[in-house]
Amino acid sequence: MSTDARKPPAQIALRIRRALGGKAGWNGVAVQLGFAAVLGWIGYEIIANARTNLETQHIAAGFGFLRNNAGFDVNQTLISYTGSDTFLRVFVVGLLNTLVVSLVGIIFATALGFVVALCRLSPNWLLSRVGEIYVEIIRNLPLLFQILFWYLAVLAALPNPRASISLFGLVFVSNRGLVIPRPIGEAGFEPFLAAAAFGILASLALRIQARRALFREGRMIRIWPYVLGLLFALPLLTMLVFGAPFALELPQLKGFNFAGGARIIPEFVALTLALSIYTAAFIAEIVRAGILSVHKGQMEAGSSLGLSRGTTLRLIVMPQAMRVIVPPLTNQYLNLTKNSSLAVAIGYPDLVSVFAGTSLSQTGQAIEIIAMTMGVYLALSLATSLVMNIYGARLNRSLGA
Amino acid sequence: MTDVAAPSFVRQELAPERPAPVRSTGFVGFVRARLLNSPTNILLTIVSLLLLWYSIVPAFKFLMVDAVWTGKDRSACLAENAGFSVGACWPYIQAKLPQLIYGFYPEAERWRVNLALVLAAILLLPLLVPRLPAKGLNAGLFFFAFPVIAFFLLHGGGISGFGVSWTAGLLRLFDDSIAGAGEVLLDLGKGSAIGPLLWLIGKFIMLIGAAISWLILPLTWLSDRIHGTGASVWVDFAVTTVVVSLIAFMLGGGVRSGWRAVGWSIATFVAIAIVIKLMGLDRGGLPIVPTNLWGGLLVTLVVSVTGIVTSLPIGIALALARRSTIPLIRIFSIAFIEFWRGVPLITVLFFATYMLPLFLPGNFSVDGLVRALIGIALFTGAYQAENVRGGLAAIPRGQGEAAAALGLSWWRTTSLIVLPQALRHVIPSLVNSFISLFKDTSLVSIVALFDLLGSLRASFSDPKWSTPSTLFTGFAFTGMIYFAFCFGMSRYSLFVEKRLNAHRRN
């Protein structure tokens, strides 16, 4: 009367079922088929409608328009551009302008954000309140509001170029923007560049060497005198030998405007100010949370080992805090880059403004232009999240998790 | 042992009085410990005092002391007329206040906006106080009934049919589209190498279309008959009530336990009937105010409330789909979420404004505000999905397994066990998303909608009020409105967070 052990069910069939329909099995497959049908139907409707609509509007689909002449001017270009260049060049010009304003904004935002975070963490009650007020006010006002405030109210309230505010006769601030001296390369430029590059590389190598000595043999090597020498003394020396690397062309007030010097358009100034002030508030909160996330005992353990407060902060607290800080910080950098698209509100010629704005209204190629613009931002954010995933994986490995 | 003389000492006089210890409590102690305890700290205190002095005093002077409070036009706010360097020009705000709140909404109809705002406040406030009862009913009213009522209140207009005609119309549209696709495939099949195959698929799709049209025939017949009668709305309404109540009765468990569901369904329909009757929707409703007349705070609130109400279901659906094990659904939702999170909102708004009309049938035009709303709902929905997913991940596996052990289906497990806990976990991050949504509504001013910021910008161009301080006054006033809303929401999120973590406090 013994019962035979039942045969285990065929694994292959189960696996296939699982792979095709997930835990729901064949029901899942049915759901997927229905879903695919609905998606297909929506896709068909979109394509059919777009085709008829484009036909009635007499717009030729495709990217051929990129080779046409743009015919409009852009008031800030990093590469040479005239109205007779193509739309493709407009795209590149806009992209470069976006990248420039993002990069400058990121640098300022990081610096300001760390300062504000340190203020908020300061044992000084008043200073931490000042930091808190800054963060609360800035975070609770829309970014577009702040951009418009700087552009329309503050920069427009500045005096005209004739009465512009001058800082040491070098930089002039007026309602036409910022005028700064322009460096012009001279004979000693190339040796200077070479020396500076060598200095940077050599100090990096020195640092790696010093860390290796510290971790392998426990020897502390004092490298900062050499680094200072490499970074500053060497370029200075080349300047003495080969002559000045560049001359500064000072701006001169001629008539109603400035001649010479480089002019930074007010849109750029307003956008950079607003973006960095806004993002700094968020960065400050991230940095503060990161530093607070390191347990108090770490600081105490460091001082019980005889390390000074600064060394403990640098070697023990910050590396652990950075682990918490870096992922959201990158997120903020990405947000800043995406937010730079608000430039369109004040007419700074970034990608959205010149490409999705002016070019779109001139050509009417809505699908292609918006797809390209979205594609750029999407590529940026996907690349960032890829880098962050790799970083996270490395971090997990180094933690031994 | 006793002969060892113990050195004894007895103090003869009182010990000298020691100075009292430095106070470490109270205001003085606080100042000493937190402000002036070291030279660096003294320096920092002085710097912060200077910072505060140079920011608060001028701001106060501008807003209060030097401000002009009354006047008819710009001449009141000019320094030569006022006799002092003028700060804020409040008469300008007084003159522009209707524009900043209602935009160009007709003056005679503004009571509708006020009524909608009051309704929203009445429904929202009890929802925010955790102690008050009937959260389910309250949430249902706010999230489902209020948007519909607000639409008919703000936009106006009536209805010409009800459930039956709407369903019939929608299904007919769907059927036409399928038949159209079949015909296109047949056309394509004529000159192509894989013609027979395309022909076959086309015929098959047309067959499906025909089958569907037979299936929906009773419904379309009914809807046509209803339109033939005089009071089509009420007949349609009655038929819908009967049908929906019957379905609720069946789903609720038939004779055994379906009466409760029927009761709810009939109560809901009675409420709907009262609303229809009160607003006269069957007789054309209130006069229509097209959305291009809307503006100011009204648009800001409409966009943000619609975004909040629509993004949450989208977010929940996407989050559940992303955690699903069914491959296609998971992949689709990952792609969808990552796409919307990867692009800036302004390109989404451009997409909704310029690209969406191309994707819709030519005779089908979508209102500019609705287009922006669709873009914002999809954008915010993707962000909410990630928030909800965080909450879902925080629920221990045991909860779902226990529910499965009790024999609950996936739908019941999710809706009764997992989601309520998950959503409660993520209320703070949901509210934070709402804050950024509220701030982001200012972007609609770029696509030619006049929200609060857009109205402000439009009011700057009025020559009647152009003075040196107009811009700063306008920004100060609008800034205060934005700040009040965002700050209120962030405090509320902190309050909820504290409440949620109350058990962990010690």
Side-chain angles (χ1 to χ4, degrees):
Chain A
M1 285 297 285
S2 69
T3 51
D4 290 330
R6 270 191 295 173
K7 268 203 301 186
Q11 287 293 315
I12 298 282
L14 282 181
R15 288 244 175 89
I16 291 175
R17 215 178 78 165
R18 175 71 212 245
L20 287 179
K23 274 184 193 156
W26 298 123
N27 286 346
V29 177
V31 168
Q32 280 182 72
L33 282 180
F35 187 66
V38 171
L39 276 190
W41 178 64
I42 292 175
Y44 159 75
E45 276 288 306
I46 286 177
I47 292 171
N49 288 331
R51 188 172 287 157
T52 43
N53 284 329
L54 288 179
E55 260 170 28
T56 52
Q57 292 177 16
H58 304 294
I59 296 172
F63 290 94
F65 76 96
L66 284 175
R67 282 190 297 277
N68 298 349
N69 281 351
F72 58 88
D73 271 327
V74 176
N75 61 354
Q76 177 191 312
T77 55
L78 293 181
I79 54 175
S80 70
Y81 169 85
T82 58
S84 58
D85 278 318
T86 61
F87 281 111
L88 188 62
R89 200 154 177 97
V90 173
F91 174 75
V92 178
V93 165
L95 183 58
L96 286 177
N97 281 339
T98 292
L99 291 180
V100 159
V101 80
S102 315
L103 195 69
V104 176
I106 283 174
I107 294 170
F108 282 128
T110 313
L112 189 59
F114 271 80
V115 168
V116 175
L118 290 182
C119 284
R120 287 209 62 183
L121 288 170
S122 156
N124 189 308
W125 180 83
L126 201 60
L127 194 61
S128 70
R129 285 297 88 74
V130 170
E132 201 179 325
I133 292 172
Y134 171 86
V135 169
E136 284 296 342
I137 289 184
I138 296 298
R139 280 207 313 182
N140 285 323
L141 290 176
L143 175 59
L144 187 61
F145 174 90
Q146 298 186 30
I147 293 177
L148 289 180
F149 174 73
W150 289 108
Y151 184 64
L152 293 177
V154 177
L155 288 192
L158 289 175
N160 61 359
R162 291 187 61 119
S164 59
I165 305 159
S166 118
L167 304 172
F168 314 113
L170 291 173
V171 179
F172 295 90
V173 185
S174 69
N175 57 6
R176 301 269 189 89
L178 204 66
V179 185
I180 54 171
R182 183 167 53 183
I184 295 172
E186 285 202 353
F189 189 56
E190 278 110 15
F192 175 79
L193 263 191
F198 173 75
I200 292 171
L201 285 180
S203 4
L204 278 180
L206 255 182
R207 183 184 147 78
I208 292 172
Q209 175 69 27
R211 287 188 79 80
R212 190 170 290 165
L214 179 65
F215 289 145
R216 293 252 170 89
E217 301 151 36
R219 273 191 303 130
M220 286 277 272
I221 305 179
R222 178 166 300 197
I223 58 165
W224 62 264
Y226 306 107
V227 170
L228 274 188
L230 278 169
L231 285 184
F232 294 102
L234 194 65
L236 271 177
L237 212 66
T238 41
M239 269 167 76
L240 285 180
V241 176
F242 291 97
F246 47 75
L248 287 178
E249 188 196 47
L250 291 180
Q252 299 287 329
L253 190 63
K254 287 217 177 108
F256 289 103
N257 215 335
F258 285 97
R263 195 172 80 91
I264 300 176
I265 55 174
E267 290 84 9
F268 181 87
V269 178
L271 191 62
T272 318
L273 261 175
L275 279 178
S276 33
I277 288 177
Y278 183 75
T279 316
F282 289 87
I283 291 181
E285 285 296 278
I286 289 168
V287 172
R288 175 168 162 267
I291 291 177
L292 285 181
S293 77
V294 179
H295 198 264
K296 211 167 67 177
Q298 299 284 332
M299 197 79 197
E300 289 162 3
S303 54
S304 78
L305 285 174
L307 298 177
S308 74
R309 193 182 145 82
T311 321
T312 321
L313 264 178
R314 196 162 51 84
L315 292 180
I316 294 177
V317 176
M318 270 328 264
Q320 300 184 62
M322 280 321 262
R323 247 173 232 162
V324 182
I325 291 173
V326 166
L329 190 65
T330 340
N331 219 351
Q332 284 304 325
Y333 290 165
L334 199 61
N335 274 349
L336 191 146
T337 313
K338 287 197 277 180
N339 283 336
S340 71
S341 58
L342 291 184
V344 68
I346 56 171
Y348 172 76
D350 82 320
L351 181 62
V352 173
S353 172
V354 295
F355 198 60
T358 321
S359 302
L360 175 61
S361 61
Q362 289 212 350
T363 61
Q365 305 272 359
I367 297 180
E368 296 84 355
I369 285 181
I370 291 177
M372 277 174 82
T373 315
M374 281 183 157
V376 167
Y377 287 103
L378 201 59
L380 267 177
S381 79
L382 288 183
T384 315
S385 66
L386 189 73
V387 170
M388 273 299 95
N389 281 348
I390 296 173
Y391 174 82
R394 276 191 55 175
L395 206 70
N396 277 342
R397 213 171 53 210
S398 74
L399 284 173
Chain B
M1 282 172 80
T2 50
D3 55 355
V4 177
S8 62
F9 170 76
V10 178
R11 193 195 284 268
Q12 296 297 312
E13 70 278 6
L14 287 173
E17 214 170 67
R18 277 189 290 174
V22 177
R23 271 181 74 176
S24 62
T25 55
F27 181 69
V28 179
F30 171 80
V31 167
R32 219 172 250 150
R34 299 291 301 274
L35 296 178
L36 307 170
N37 58 341
S38 71
T40 347
N41 245 349
I42 294 174
L43 193 71
L44 287 177
T45 307
I46 293 172
V47 169
S48 341
L49 274 179
L50 284 178
L51 264 177
L52 283 178
W53 182 260
Y54 280 110
S55 54
I56 288 180
V57 171
F60 183 75
K61 257 182 97 170
F62 178 83
L63 293 177
M64 298 285 176
V65 180
D66 286 347
V68 173
W69 296 92
T70 50
K72 285 220 146 36
D73 57 359
R74 67 188 286 267
S75 57
C77 297
L78 291 176
E80 56 261 33
N81 296 344
F84 51 90
S85 71
V86 173
C89 180
W90 293 121
Y92 152 72
I93 294 292
Q94 269 165 27
K96 293 289 174 189
L97 196 60
Q99 193 189 338
L100 289 181
I101 293 179
Y102 306 104
F104 300 108
Y105 210 89
E107 211 164 334
E109 307 288 335
R110 281 183 188 155
W111 61 271
R112 283 154 60 175
V113 179
N114 296 340
L115 184 62
L117 290 181
V118 169
L119 260 177
I122 289 176
L123 287 176
L124 187 61
L125 283 179
L127 202 60
L128 296 181
V129 181
R131 211 176 298 158
L132 292 181
K135 281 278 174 292
L137 180 68
N138 199 340
L141 283 176
F142 183 73
F143 284 104
F144 296 104
F146 174 68
V148 178
I149 294 177
F151 170 78
F152 284 113
L153 204 54
L154 294 174
H155 182 263
I159 48 176
S160 58
F162 204 70
V164 176
S165 358
W166 293 340
T167 326
L170 218 68
L171 285 175
R172 226 178 249 163
L173 215 67
F174 179 66
D175 192 39
D176 287 350
S177 157
I178 288 181
E183 270 166 30
V184 168
L185 276 180
L186 281 186
D187 276 355
L188 275 179
K190 275 173 191 154
S192 146
I194 49 166
L197 182 68
L198 284 181
W199 183 85
L200 205 67
I201 299 175
K203 273 287 175 204
F204 178 64
I205 290 180
M206 285 188 80
L207 202 69
I208 294 179
I212 292 179
S213 81
W214 279 106
L215 264 178
I216 62 173
L217 194 63
L219 204 64
T220 47
W221 175 80
L222 194 61
S223 119
D224 288 342
R225 283 304 297 272
I226 288 172
H227 270 275
T229 61
S232 60
V233 173
W234 290 111
V235 177
D236 196 339
F237 183 82
V239 175
T240 314
T241 311
V242 171
V243 171
V244 171
S245 300
L246 268 181
I247 292 176
F249 183 65
M250 297 300 197
L251 289 181
V255 189
R256 201 156 37 85
S257 59
W259 301 108
R260 203 181 146 79
V262 171
W264 274 111
S265 146
I266 288 176
T268 314
F269 276 104
V270 167
I272 295 174
I274 292 173
V275 169
I276 291 180
K277 197 72 208 164
L278 268 182
M279 296 176 68
L281 294 182
D282 53 331
R283 284 173 281 104
L286 297 162
I288 290 179
V289 181
T291 54
N292 54 9
L293 294 182
W294 300 17
L297 191 61
L298 169 66
V299 164
T300 298
L301 289 178
V302 164
V303 173
S304 44
V305 169
T306 320
I308 288 171
V309 169
T310 50
S311 70
L312 202 55
I314 296 178
I316 292 175
L318 282 174
L320 289 174
R322 194 169 179 171
R323 281 169 63 85
S324 155
T325 50
I326 302 174
L328 185 64
I329 288 183
R330 196 183 61 233
I331 292 169
F332 172 79
S333 78
I334 290 177
F336 192 87
I337 293 172
E338 293 304 324
F339 174 75
W340 291 112
R341 276 161 50 91
V343 295
L345 179 58
I346 189 70
T347 59
V348 175
L349 289 175
F350 270 81
F351 164 85
T353 318
Y354 297 114
M355 233 158 121
L356 210 58
L358 289 178
F359 290 163
L360 295 170
N363 52 0
F364 198 82
S365 79
V366 184
D367 188 86
L369 183 64
V370 177
R371 274 183 264 172
L373 285 178
I374 293 174
I376 285 182
L378 294 177
F379 182 80
T380 318
Y383 279 86
Q384 295 295 30
E386 288 302 276
N387 288 335
V388 175
R389 193 164 71 105
L392 290 175
I395 305 299
R397 280 176 69 97
Q399 296 284 332
E401 286 166 357
L406 287 173
L408 297 186
S409 67
W410 182 85
W411 288 103
R412 297 207 153 199
T413 310
T414 308
S415 63
L416 297 177
I417 310 284
V418 176
L419 261 187
Q421 299 186 58
L423 287 182
R424 202 169 297 155
H425 263 293
V426 292
I427 289 176
S429 56
L430 291 181
V431 177
N432 283 343
S433 285
F434 293 152
I435 296 176
S436 47
L437 170 64
F438 187 82
K439 289 190 290 177
D440 283 344
T441 55
S442 57
L443 266 65
V444 297
S445 65
I446 295 176
V447 288
L449 293 171
F450 288 96
D451 74 322
L452 183 54
L453 199 56
S455 301
L456 178 74
R457 213 176 165 178
S459 77
F460 287 155
S461 54
D462 185 357
K464 196 180 160 199
W465 285 105
S466 79
T467 66
S469 62
T470 303
L471 289 161
F472 285 99
T473 314
F475 277 115
F477 179 72
T478 326
M480 281 189 249
I481 295 181
Y482 275 116
F483 185 82
F485 275 96
C486 297
F487 190 71
M489 280 194 271
S490 75
R491 287 296 117 161
Y492 180 72
S493 121
L494 275 184
F495 158 72
V496 175
E497 204 172 342
K498 243 182 219 146
R499 216 180 115 83
L500 287 176
N501 292 335
H503 60 285
R504 270 186 235 154
R505 202 172 288 152
N506 298 315

